[in-house]
Amino acid sequence: MKNELYRKIPKVDILLENPIIIDLIEENSRELVVDSIRKEIKKLRKFIEDTDSVIEGEGQIKALIEHIMENLKEVQSYNMTPVINATGTILHTNLGRAPLGKKQLEHICEISGGYSNLEYNIEAGCRGARYDHFEKLLCELTGAEAAMAVNNNAAAVMLILNSLGREKEIIVSRGELVEVGGKFRIPDVMDLSRGKLVEVGTTNKTHFSDYEEAITDETAILMKVHTSNYRILGFTETVSIEELSKLGKERNIPVVEDLGSGVLLDLSKFGISYEPTVQDSIKAGADVVCFSGDKLLGGPQAGIIVGKKKYIEAMRKNQMTRALRIDKFTAAALEGVLTEYKSQENAIKNIPILQMISLTAQELKIRAINLVTALEKSINLSVKLIECKSQIGGGSMPLERLDSYGVSVKANHMSTSAFEKLLRGQEVPIIARIENDEVIFDVRTLNTCQMETLVKQLKEI
Ligand SMILES: *Cc1c(COP(=O)(O)O)cnc(C)c1O
């Protein structure tokens, strides 16, 4: 009986003459199609070996072409996939932090799809610098003399410390010895950069005199680190960047600030507390300031460094820069995103994370009502409108919550955790929070197109 089934399996040469397979070869490649045929025939033989049912065996033989098509699709599919972020966390580190806007993406495509003037000065006909495309913009926006960018802010901190503080002392407050995600710890980075960490003050209080008294002939940097992802509350004292800059000037020691997020505009009008901007730090007298490209700036992953020309030049000359430099995708994206900042209105309109932050509760309520209406028709779901709180995320502004609206969804005949898993298993995976045994979709992080996909997928469940 099994031999009969085995005999019914079409031979590879025969399959290669099948019109569907011929089309597949045309659309894909002969190599891949033959591979898929071999793999599926092998699976089929194994199936027949294990089964006792002739009907099932025949069923599988009939489905062979279909399985070949599926296999072919699978081997060519990417593992990286867009997801729908329904968590309301705007800078979700695991979901890629800041999404880029349409205009910036078009610029990246145009620049990276062909040759460009990445390091070529067209006017002079000679070599240029990859920072030329956005240095002037950064200087105009922040008030700094010079600027550059590296792979990420962790790299920026390393480069600054290594360029200005190698084999010398770097003074930092004990209240600012931060660990950001991925075990990036300021003391370890100092070590790697071959700077000598000099801790001053205590966890909750550091005075001006602590810095003053720690300065020696070996002091190379007075450093301030933004405590991005935590807050020390209560009996506390820190020295402002302004005061620290005065001390640095007096003693002729550069003052460096790691700002973490790097905000370029006043976000307090959107109902979150004022976050000091890069221009504030420069105005206060900081010599070098670094920040991330993909946190509150809303751009690509990058570590942006702005400050005094002589220090930026020292960093550009450092051999480490060759290993940490940004690529053309990032340079194009940075130019794109920084150009938007020339006008606040454009920045808020065209930079997705700023757009999401600026949404009012009223606008979000309308979105959420639309989503409820679209989902209500599904008989398998119980949905209701809810008020909720969105977060900034990405280790920025840990205490801030933005008033938002969302939809709470319960699947009938299914546990909440099974439903959440099902959502993750969709073609465009839906990532959502669970609260009080209900799945919550916060609409702040969903644009119109993603809402439509979400609804379509939920209707098909
Ligand atoms: C996030 C952060 C960093 C690291 O920035 P990446 O761009 O993620 O490398 C460094 N310092 C501070 C204070 C931060 O908040």
Side-chain angles (χ1 to χ4, degrees), residues 97 152-154 180 184 225-226 228 258-261 292 294-295 302:
R97 280 200 193 155
N152 55 18
N153 193 32
V180 294
F184 174 84
V225 183
H226 192 294
S228 316
D258 172 8
L259 257 187
S261 215
S292 276
D294 58 350
K295 288 187 183 168

